[in-house]
Amino acid sequence: NDIGNIYYYMPDYENAMVYYEKALAIDPGYKYALVNKANVYDINGQTDKAIEYYYFATLADDSYLSAHQFLGQMYFTQMEYEKAVKCFNKVVELDPGYVWSYYYIGYVYYNQGEYEKAVPYFTKTIELDSTVTDAWYQMGNQYQYLAKYEEAEM
């Protein structure tokens, strides 16, 4: 797996895959190799395979936060919002201080036109990390869509 990471950062994804596969031949449930392999599939535009391997990593270790977050982001980009929210909620369960899961849940509700539901997630994002400028922007948008103009000026 570590040799695969060297190739990954070169970037030489073909050789990286060879070493991730070798690691998985030794231990098919090795969560890091599963996620690394998913990352390569994602970079190569093989979304279905990326989702499959992120999912395998969650099965290998249900407490592996990164696997749930990456899987959620893949579902988000595929507009499979219910599955995405489930993944992001798992991340929140694992680490209530992980800012990006709140952000993405807010974004799911925004994309679904559920602006009132989006506000608390963007608010939580800002509470955890006030430098996430897009959360400020999106929260202002939600208030604008809800015609709550005074709140949008905060």
Side-chain angles (χ1 to χ4, degrees):
N1 188 62
D2 290 340
I3 295 171
N5 288 341
I6 292 168
Y7 282 110
Y8 180 89
Y9 289 109
M10 288 176 83
D12 179 347
Y13 303 125
E14 186 176 326
N15 279 314
M17 266 315 218
V18 168
Y19 285 94
Y20 297 148
E21 289 169 3
K22 286 182 179 190
L24 291 169
I26 294 167
D27 180 0
Y30 187 50
K31 64 185 178 184
Y32 301 111
L34 291 167
V35 164
N36 291 338
K37 193 169 177 178
N39 289 341
V40 172
Y41 283 130
D42 183 25
I43 287 168
N44 289 329
Q46 295 175 277
T47 304
D48 291 340
K49 295 296 281 181
I51 288 171
E52 179 181 356
Y53 277 85
Y54 287 132
Y55 178 71
F56 288 159
T58 67
L59 294 178
D61 182 355
D62 191 47
S63 66
Y64 189 27
L65 184 145
S66 295
H68 289 284
Q69 182 67 27
F70 292 147
L71 181 59
Q73 288 173 222
M74 294 301 296
Y75 285 139
F76 178 85
T77 61
Q78 297 301 301
M79 297 187 302
E80 294 186 48
Y81 295 133
E82 189 175 316
K83 290 178 181 179
V85 168
K86 184 178 177 183
C87 292
F88 297 137
N89 280 328
K90 179 65 177 181
V91 173
V92 168
E93 176 188 316
L94 294 170
D95 181 0
Y98 191 77
V99 64
W100 292 106
S101 288
Y102 296 101
Y103 173 82
Y104 276 104
I105 294 170
Y107 224 104
V108 164
Y109 290 131
Y110 162 73
N111 283 345
Q112 294 177 325
E114 297 184 59
Y115 309 122
E116 196 76 47
K117 287 174 115 177
V119 168
Y121 291 98
F122 289 125
T123 302
K124 184 67 174 181
T125 301
I126 292 165
E127 285 173 11
L128 292 171
D129 185 351
S130 63
T131 66
V132 181
T133 54
D134 195 58
W136 287 98
Y137 175 77
Q138 290 304 330
M139 192 163 65
N141 280 342
Q142 307 320 296
Y143 285 134
Q144 180 181 352
Y145 297 137
L146 295 166
K148 294 183 176 182
Y149 302 113
E150 289 180 20
E151 288 92 333
E153 293 178 5
M154 54 179 255

